[in-house]
Amino acid sequence: MERHGVFERILPSQIPRDTIPIRAHTILKVKRDNHLRAETLKARLCANSTTQTEGMHYTYQYTPVLRYATKRLVLPLLSAYEVANKQFDISSAFLHADLDEFIIMRLPNGDLVRLLKSLYGLKQLGSNWHLLLKDRLVKYGFRHLVLDECVYVL
């Protein structure tokens, strides 16, 4: 994650006195094949959001969610007019969004790092990802609907 620019290692002397590091933990998962045999082992580094303090590690966060009414209206219209509906997954999507806050995290091995990008478990994760996605879509000419911020049209 360090070589992907998610965080940078720092020394304890580089931390401002009033900064409290948040904790991190590792989540391990076993991916299984169709016969339930272990296929791959996955590890994910997560921030412990319970150690975040509002005003220090984050400010008020807003993450829009697709309205259910929009989904019920748009999907049948797409089908009726035979419009192509594209859906895709962005690998490690949340790790692409930059952080505005100065956040220090203590890794499970005790090392200290400064977070540069959003990390799973942060309270501002969804909001940061939405702002990044919105910025990129607007740059390519999309605009969001007034009634639903999660729907973008050309």
Side-chain angles (χ1 to χ4, degrees):
M1 294 185 104
E2 190 170 10
R3 76 185 148 101
H4 292 294
V6 176
F7 60 73
E8 63 183 5
R9 292 183 189 276
I10 61 169
L11 300 171
S13 60
Q14 295 174 295
I15 300 174
R17 287 199 184 277
D18 59 339
T19 303
I20 301 170
I22 62 173
R23 292 191 308 263
H25 57 274
T26 307
I27 295 178
L28 304 173
K29 186 176 183 178
V30 178
K31 295 273 188 163
R32 299 190 180 277
D33 63 12
N34 293 339
H35 303 290
L36 300 179
R37 290 185 298 243
E39 191 173 42
T40 57
L41 302 174
K42 298 272 187 172
R44 175 182 288 168
L45 180 67
C46 297
N48 186 343
S49 65
T50 61
T51 59
Q52 283 187 276
T53 305
E54 186 173 3
M56 178 186 297
H57 298 117
Y58 69 97
T59 53
Y60 172 77
Q61 297 300 313
Y62 168 71
T63 307
V65 178
L66 181 69
R67 294 178 54 213
Y68 186 68
T70 302
K71 186 175 165 181
R72 289 190 54 169
L73 173 71
V74 171
L75 291 177
L77 285 173
L78 292 174
S79 178
Y81 289 101
E82 298 178 1
V83 175
N85 178 20
K86 296 288 184 185
Q87 180 176 320
F88 56 91
D89 184 33
I90 299 173
S91 179
S92 303
F94 294 130
L95 303 180
H96 295 285
D98 292 331
L99 272 178
D100 294 330
E101 300 84 10
F102 182 80
I103 298 179
I104 303 297
M105 184 172 73
R106 186 176 305 281
L107 297 176
N109 67 0
D111 290 350
L112 292 170
V113 296
R114 176 177 180 229
L115 292 178
L116 303 172
K117 297 195 177 282
S118 290
L119 189 68
Y120 294 104
L122 289 177
K123 293 188 178 186
Q124 60 268 50
L125 177 72
S127 181
N128 287 352
W129 167 243
H130 171 72
L131 292 173
L132 174 68
L133 182 63
K134 178 182 176 181
D135 187 49
R136 299 279 166 87
L137 289 173
V138 167
K139 189 167 91 174
Y140 288 109
F142 286 86
R143 56 186 172 77
H144 68 81
L145 299 182
V146 174
L147 295 176
D148 197 329
E149 286 185 63
C150 293
V151 178
Y152 289 83
V153 294
L154 273 172

